[in-house]
Amino acid sequence: MLYYIIQHKMGFQGFGLFAFCINYIFGAGVLSIPYSFLHGGLIGSGITLIVSSSLSLVTALWLFEIQARAQALKKRESEDNDNNDDCFRITETSQIEISEMCLLFIGNRARVIYDLSISVFVLSSAWMYASISAMSLVDTIPILTKTNTKNETYSCDISSHSGLLWSLPERRCYYDYLIYLLLFSVVQAYLISIGMKRLQSLQQLLTVVGLIALATMIVTVLVAMKEEGLAIDKFDAKVVVFDVNGYGACFSTFVFAQLCHMGVPALTQLVTGEDKMIMYKVLIVTICTTTTLYLILGFACALFFGKNDTDAHKGLEKVISLNWIDYTGKKSQFNKSFFASIISYFIRLYPVITCGSAFPLYCITIGNSWYRSVHVKSETVRIPDQVGEGDDSIALTEPLMRTTQGREENRMSFLKNIPLSGFQFIGCFFPVIAASQMADISFMLLMVGYAGFVIAFFIPIALQIKSKAVCGQIFGRSKTVYDSRISRSDFIYSALIFGICATVLSTITVFL
């Protein structure tokens, strides 16, 4: 049904764009959703997820409006924008990244803040992807660590280790982890080398496999829930409605789990033809799909596995797929069926699929950003320091010419000799090194959460407000073909309030 809606209602490009959006969004966020639901409280987490996802979608859709205004502003020297078309629209003439939109509308300091946030977010996310992939492989297909002294299946449980990995009590677990981390980095380096365009078919395949794995997780949990009951029925487990101590940490997870803003300009340019509204619709379908899956998975897994204070291995794991290690279907634990074994391995390897598909996208994204930053060239867009007269005048950001002039000459010369692929490989190198030292998912989620608040809320809000003001003063209009009810001021204030509350509550949780 979902394939029919995207492929036939939005054209042949629809599913390809949907695949890229899904892989940008899913990553490791989906694996931590049930854990956040359980520790933040079911009702509180459910409501927060819906609000967070809705506002993330709103701010992502604003980027279509902002990009259209930015293109009109850059073209006004060479084209007459006061034509019969009353609305700005995105064209195929050029791709304007969010950092450039920041430079045009809210100044160089905002661009620096955005670039730093993107670097922290992408590197921390890639670090998490590498760690989760290696951990999943260690617990699914161990090499040096196969059984314990009782000849039972042994779980290294690296995800629960909050310190440096070399201090793990079981050294063989660490060696297995390093072996798989090296294998993961080699595969990802190859995927990065073949480029974004050649990854399209692979991204579509991984999207289908990932959605099947996610659906399998949901179905098996619901079936097991019917057969065995809830966690509170099976053992002394806790399922809370609202937990003030863990609620603040949910914001980081939920924002991270729906973040695709940095990829919107590039994804928009993948649409052939002038009708960029296809990408607009695909983004709405994608966020609605992920939100629905997150809600079902979060509620079902939290209710079935629960929180066990006496034995953590009987409760919900930080990485949800690890709960399928002992999956037996309807058989007893000592009589696991062949079909159940296939499901167990498939779901435990799901993190490798979802993280492996997102990792090259993130490394390519950060590599491209670093390359453009080093090779930035002077560009002139004559934006006046002030427009309007008297009390109606407003101060604008300093002209782009004044901001970028001479930056290229001040760069260290050796960086200019590094090719684009070199920066992309560097973006792959740092996360792998970090993953070899620590695999604390909670710490990584905190880092990506803070950066995510800036990327998903504060920067789009500032761009939306200032781009409307600038274009309204210069062109006498600011409306785009992408404007809708969500372009109103009340949505802007709602997103701002939510972003501030999320940042404050996440900070408070750190010190509790």
Side-chain angles (χ1 to χ4, degrees):
M1 178 62 70
L2 180 63
Y3 178 83
Y4 174 82
I5 293 174
I6 298 172
Q7 195 79 351
H8 296 278
K9 298 296 183 180
M10 300 181 187
F12 70 96
Q13 301 180 81
F15 189 73
L17 296 170
F18 177 76
F20 272 106
C21 284
I22 281 289
N23 291 334
Y24 257 114
I25 291 174
F26 266 176
V30 63
L31 302 172
S32 303
I33 289 291
Y35 189 81
S36 296
F37 261 72
L38 183 64
H39 289 265
L42 295 183
I43 302 301
S45 296
I47 295 174
T48 304
L49 175 62
I50 293 173
V51 174
S52 176
S53 300
S54 300
L55 292 177
S56 291
L57 174 60
V58 168
T59 57
L61 295 177
W62 284 347
L63 294 174
F64 289 83
E65 304 175 33
I66 299 165
Q67 189 175 356
R69 296 185 190 112
Q71 284 191 347
L73 197 62
K74 292 190 68 175
K75 293 191 300 180
R76 88 186 204 282
E77 292 295 326
S78 57
E79 296 183 12
D80 181 15
N81 285 280
D82 292 312
N83 49 34
N84 294 328
D85 191 357
D86 294 331
C87 301
F88 302 125
R89 66 178 66 246
I90 301 173
T91 65
E92 291 185 302
T93 55
S94 63
Q95 175 180 323
I96 302 181
E97 294 292 341
I98 297 177
S99 59
E100 190 173 359
M101 299 179 203
C102 291
L103 199 59
L104 279 171
F105 294 118
I106 51 181
N108 188 55
R109 290 183 180 178
R111 182 198 63 82
V112 172
I113 293 174
Y114 175 79
D115 286 345
L116 288 175
S117 300
I118 278 292
S119 296
V120 171
F121 177 81
V122 171
L123 292 177
S124 299
S125 299
W127 175 10
M128 190 186 309
Y129 297 154
S131 297
I132 290 178
S133 297
M135 285 190 294
S136 299
L137 287 168
V138 168
D139 282 326
T140 305
I141 314 174
I143 300 174
L144 302 176
T145 308
K146 294 185 178 181
T147 56
N148 60 12
T149 55
K150 296 181 181 180
N151 200 33
E152 298 172 341
T153 302
Y154 185 82
S155 176
C156 288
D157 197 23
I158 298 177
S159 62
S160 63
H161 188 77
S162 58
L164 296 175
L165 292 178
W166 52 263
S167 63
L168 278 170
E170 180 56 64
R171 298 296 296 177
R172 290 176 297 175
C173 291
Y174 183 47
Y175 297 147
D176 276 0
Y177 177 84
L178 290 179
I179 292 172
Y180 279 122
L181 189 62
L182 177 62
L183 178 63
F184 177 84
S185 62
V186 170
V187 173
Q188 294 301 323
Y190 170 74
L191 294 177
I192 292 171
S193 68
I194 66 178
M196 182 78 82
K197 290 184 178 180
R198 294 177 63 182
L199 283 174
Q200 291 187 28
S201 299
L202 178 62
Q203 290 291 319
Q204 294 183 36
L205 175 62
L206 293 176
T207 298
V208 173
V209 175
L211 289 174
I212 292 174
L214 199 58
T216 304
M217 292 170 66
I218 293 173
V219 171
T220 52
V221 167
L222 293 177
V223 171
M225 190 183 300
K226 181 180 178 181
E227 296 290 330
E228 303 178 27
L230 304 180
I232 56 176
D233 301 324
K234 295 183 296 180
F235 51 85
D236 186 19
K238 295 180 180 180
V239 178
V240 296
V241 175
F242 180 82
D243 187 353
V244 66
N245 294 323
Y247 179 66
C250 295
F251 288 95
S252 299
T253 303
F254 295 158
V255 171
F256 169 59
Q258 297 284 32
L259 195 62
C260 63
H261 297 61
M262 61 282 184
V264 169
L267 292 172
T268 303
Q269 293 301 318
L270 290 177
V271 180
T272 57
E274 294 290 329
D275 187 12
K276 305 297 182 180
M277 191 60 75
I278 295 175
M279 187 62 233
Y280 192 95
K281 296 176 181 178
V282 167
L283 190 58
I284 295 174
V285 172
T286 303
I287 297 294
C288 291
T289 301
T290 54
T291 303
T292 303
L293 292 174
Y294 289 162
L295 287 171
I296 298 174
L297 185 67
F299 277 114
C301 291
L303 288 172
F304 180 71
F305 293 108
K307 180 181 179 182
N308 195 322
D309 294 329
T310 58
D311 187 354
H313 294 290
K314 290 184 179 180
L316 190 65
E317 300 279 356
K318 286 185 178 180
V319 179
I320 183 60
S321 58
L322 297 179
N323 281 101
W324 269 259
I325 290 178
D326 297 322
Y327 177 75
T328 59
K330 294 184 179 181
K331 300 290 183 179
S332 67
Q333 185 175 358
F334 304 100
N335 188 23
K336 182 183 291 187
S337 68
F338 176 72
F339 182 68
S341 298
I342 292 178
I343 291 179
S344 176
Y345 276 99
F346 179 50
I347 292 178
R348 282 186 284 161
L349 290 175
Y350 167 66
V352 182
I353 298 171
T354 184
C355 294
S357 60
F359 190 91
L361 299 180
Y362 278 62
C363 291
I364 291 173
T365 298
I366 194 63
N368 292 346
S369 177
W370 288 343
Y371 181 82
R372 286 193 299 270
S373 179
V374 169
H375 293 82
V376 65
K377 296 181 179 180
S378 300
E379 182 178 8
T380 302
V381 175
R382 295 190 184 94
I383 304 176
D385 294 312
Q386 183 169 295
V387 293
E389 297 180 357
D391 295 334
D392 294 329
S393 64
I394 60 171
L396 302 181
T397 183
E398 50 186 342
L400 186 61
M401 176 182 63
R402 200 181 307 163
T403 304
T404 62
Q405 189 75 31
R407 288 175 62 209
E408 187 177 14
E409 290 75 15
N410 296 328
R411 300 290 181 184
M412 289 181 288
S413 58
F414 78 93
L415 291 177
K416 299 177 187 177
N417 298 325
I418 301 177
L420 175 60
S421 59
F423 283 98
Q424 294 171 347
F425 286 127
I426 292 173
C428 170
F429 175 77
F430 284 118
V432 170
I433 293 299
S436 68
Q437 301 302 312
M438 190 169 71
D440 187 355
I441 306 300
S442 299
F443 175 75
M444 300 177 206
L445 282 173
L446 183 65
M447 293 184 64
V448 299
Y450 279 118
F453 298 148
V454 176
I455 298 168
F457 294 104
F458 299 124
I459 289 296
I461 288 170
L463 285 172
Q464 179 75 337
I465 294 173
K466 201 60 180 286
S467 65
K468 280 187 171 184
V470 170
C471 290
Q473 289 287 337
I474 294 178
F475 300 110
R477 66 187 190 276
S478 62
K479 187 177 180 180
T480 72
V481 296
Y482 315 104
D483 281 29
S484 62
R485 293 182 179 180
I486 64 173
S487 305
R488 298 182 320 207
S489 298
D490 51 347
F491 281 92
I492 296 177
Y493 295 129
S494 298
L496 179 60
I497 293 172
F498 181 84
I500 293 173
C501 292
T503 304
V504 171
L505 288 174
S506 296
T507 304
I508 293 174
T509 303
V510 175
F511 296 100
L512 286 178

